[in-house]
Short mmCIF file of all heavy atoms in Angstrom, two decimals:
data_model
loop_
_atom_site.label_atom_id
_atom_site.label_comp_id
_atom_site.label_asym_id
_atom_site.label_seq_id
_atom_site.Cartn_x
_atom_site.Cartn_y
_atom_site.Cartn_z
N PHE A 11 121.03 41.95 19.18
CA PHE A 11 120.82 41.89 17.79
C PHE A 11 119.61 42.62 17.43
O PHE A 11 118.91 43.01 18.26
CB PHE A 11 120.79 40.44 17.27
CG PHE A 11 119.66 39.59 17.77
CD1 PHE A 11 118.59 39.44 17.03
CD2 PHE A 11 119.72 38.93 19.13
CE1 PHE A 11 117.49 38.70 17.49
CE2 PHE A 11 118.70 38.28 19.47
CZ PHE A 11 117.55 38.02 18.81
N GLU A 20 106.46 38.26 16.19
CA GLU A 20 106.96 36.90 16.19
C GLU A 20 107.99 36.73 17.36
O GLU A 20 108.26 35.60 17.64
CB GLU A 20 107.77 36.65 14.78
CG GLU A 20 106.94 36.72 13.64
CD GLU A 20 106.01 35.56 13.57
OE1 GLU A 20 106.10 34.55 14.15
OE2 GLU A 20 104.92 35.72 12.77
N VAL A 21 108.31 37.80 17.90
CA VAL A 21 109.29 37.63 19.21
C VAL A 21 108.69 37.97 20.41
O VAL A 21 107.89 38.91 20.55
CB VAL A 21 110.62 38.57 18.90
CG1 VAL A 21 111.39 38.08 17.69
CG2 VAL A 21 110.23 39.96 18.68
N LYS A 22 109.06 37.16 21.52
CA LYS A 22 108.51 37.34 22.71
C LYS A 22 109.56 36.99 23.73
O LYS A 22 110.52 36.25 23.42
CB LYS A 22 107.28 36.44 23.08
CG LYS A 22 106.13 36.56 22.08
CD LYS A 22 105.36 37.63 22.42
CE LYS A 22 104.00 37.76 21.58
NZ LYS A 22 103.91 38.84 20.83
N GLU A 23 109.58 37.61 24.88
CA GLU A 23 110.64 37.38 25.94
C GLU A 23 110.32 35.87 26.20
O GLU A 23 109.31 35.40 26.42
CB GLU A 23 110.34 38.11 27.19
CG GLU A 23 110.68 39.69 26.94
CD GLU A 23 110.65 40.43 28.20
OE1 GLU A 23 110.67 40.01 29.24
OE2 GLU A 23 110.47 41.65 28.05
N GLY A 24 111.55 35.09 26.50
CA GLY A 24 111.44 33.74 26.78
C GLY A 24 111.53 32.83 25.54
O GLY A 24 111.72 31.65 25.55
N LYS A 25 111.38 33.47 24.42
CA LYS A 25 111.50 32.66 23.07
C LYS A 25 112.99 32.16 22.85
O LYS A 25 113.93 32.99 23.01
CB LYS A 25 110.99 33.40 21.82
CG LYS A 25 111.04 32.73 20.69
CD LYS A 25 110.37 33.36 19.45
CE LYS A 25 110.35 32.67 18.20
NZ LYS A 25 108.98 32.58 17.66
N ALA A 26 113.15 31.00 22.37
CA ALA A 26 114.52 30.44 22.13
C ALA A 26 114.94 31.05 20.78
O ALA A 26 114.22 31.15 19.81
CB ALA A 26 114.41 28.88 22.07
N ILE A 27 116.27 31.21 20.66
CA ILE A 27 116.98 31.49 19.46
C ILE A 27 118.22 30.56 19.31
O ILE A 27 118.60 30.00 20.32
CB ILE A 27 117.49 33.02 19.49
CG1 ILE A 27 118.50 33.18 20.52
CG2 ILE A 27 116.39 33.89 19.53
CD1 ILE A 27 119.40 34.39 20.26
N THR A 28 118.66 30.45 18.13
CA THR A 28 119.80 29.79 17.77
C THR A 28 120.71 30.72 16.93
O THR A 28 120.15 31.52 16.41
CB THR A 28 119.69 28.48 17.11
OG1 THR A 28 118.99 28.64 15.92
CG2 THR A 28 118.97 27.41 17.96
N ALA A 39 122.89 28.67 21.39
CA ALA A 39 121.42 28.89 21.70
C ALA A 39 121.41 29.92 22.72
O ALA A 39 122.43 30.07 23.47
CB ALA A 39 120.90 27.60 22.32
N GLY A 40 120.34 30.56 22.83
CA GLY A 40 119.99 31.54 23.83
C GLY A 40 118.51 31.70 23.96
O GLY A 40 117.76 31.07 23.28
N VAL A 41 118.11 32.63 24.88
CA VAL A 41 116.67 32.99 25.22
C VAL A 41 116.54 34.45 25.14
O VAL A 41 117.28 35.18 25.84
CB VAL A 41 116.28 32.43 26.51
CG1 VAL A 41 114.87 32.66 26.81
CG2 VAL A 41 116.44 30.85 26.59
N ILE A 42 115.57 34.89 24.47
CA ILE A 42 115.22 36.39 24.50
C ILE A 42 114.88 36.80 25.80
O ILE A 42 113.98 36.23 26.46
CB ILE A 42 114.11 36.70 23.49
CG1 ILE A 42 114.62 36.36 21.97
CG2 ILE A 42 113.62 38.06 23.49
CD1 ILE A 42 113.56 36.47 21.00
N SER A 43 115.55 37.77 26.30
CA SER A 43 115.29 38.37 27.62
C SER A 43 114.72 39.83 27.62
O SER A 43 114.09 40.15 28.67
CB SER A 43 116.59 38.37 28.51
OG SER A 43 117.60 39.35 27.91
N ALA A 44 114.84 40.53 26.52
CA ALA A 44 114.30 41.93 26.40
C ALA A 44 114.19 42.32 25.03
O ALA A 44 114.89 41.90 24.14
CB ALA A 44 115.24 42.87 27.22
N ILE A 45 113.08 43.16 24.82
CA ILE A 45 112.83 43.73 23.41
C ILE A 45 112.54 45.11 23.57
O ILE A 45 111.93 45.62 24.44
CB ILE A 45 111.50 43.04 22.90
CG1 ILE A 45 111.64 41.39 22.84
CG2 ILE A 45 111.23 43.66 21.47
CD1 ILE A 45 110.36 40.80 22.66
N ILE A 58 116.95 43.57 20.08
CA ILE A 58 116.59 42.37 20.90
C ILE A 58 117.68 41.87 21.74
O ILE A 58 118.92 42.03 21.32
CB ILE A 58 116.17 41.10 20.07
CG1 ILE A 58 115.18 41.65 18.99
CG2 ILE A 58 115.69 39.93 20.84
CD1 ILE A 58 113.80 41.86 19.47
N ARG A 59 117.48 41.56 23.12
CA ARG A 59 118.57 41.13 23.87
C ARG A 59 118.38 39.65 24.22
O ARG A 59 117.24 39.30 24.75
CB ARG A 59 118.77 41.96 25.15
CG ARG A 59 119.84 41.41 26.11
CD ARG A 59 120.23 42.37 27.15
NE ARG A 59 121.09 43.35 26.41
CZ ARG A 59 121.52 44.59 26.96
NH1 ARG A 59 121.07 44.90 28.22
NH2 ARG A 59 122.23 45.33 26.18
N ALA A 60 119.27 38.82 24.13
CA ALA A 60 119.18 37.40 24.53
C ALA A 60 120.21 36.98 25.50
O ALA A 60 121.34 37.54 25.48
CB ALA A 60 119.21 36.49 23.26
N VAL A 61 119.87 36.12 26.41
CA VAL A 61 120.77 35.58 27.34
C VAL A 61 121.49 34.31 26.76
O VAL A 61 120.69 33.45 26.25
CB VAL A 61 120.19 35.27 28.83
CG1 VAL A 61 121.18 34.74 29.59
CG2 VAL A 61 119.68 36.61 29.25
N LEU A 79 115.59 32.79 14.07
CA LEU A 79 114.49 32.81 14.87
C LEU A 79 113.41 31.87 14.19
O LEU A 79 113.01 32.13 12.94
CB LEU A 79 113.94 34.22 14.85
CG LEU A 79 114.59 35.28 15.79
CD1 LEU A 79 114.14 36.68 15.54
CD2 LEU A 79 114.42 34.84 17.25
N ALA A 80 112.78 31.09 14.89
CA ALA A 80 111.69 30.19 14.43
C ALA A 80 110.50 30.97 14.43
O ALA A 80 110.12 31.43 15.51
CB ALA A 80 111.69 28.95 15.14
#
Side-chain angles (χ1 to χ4, degrees):
F11 62 97
E20 299 290 341
V21 293
K22 303 278 186 246
E23 289 182 26
K25 183 175 182 129
I27 64 159
T28 57
V41 176
I42 294 176
S43 62
I45 302 167
I58 310 290
R59 177 162 288 172
V61 174
L79 285 170

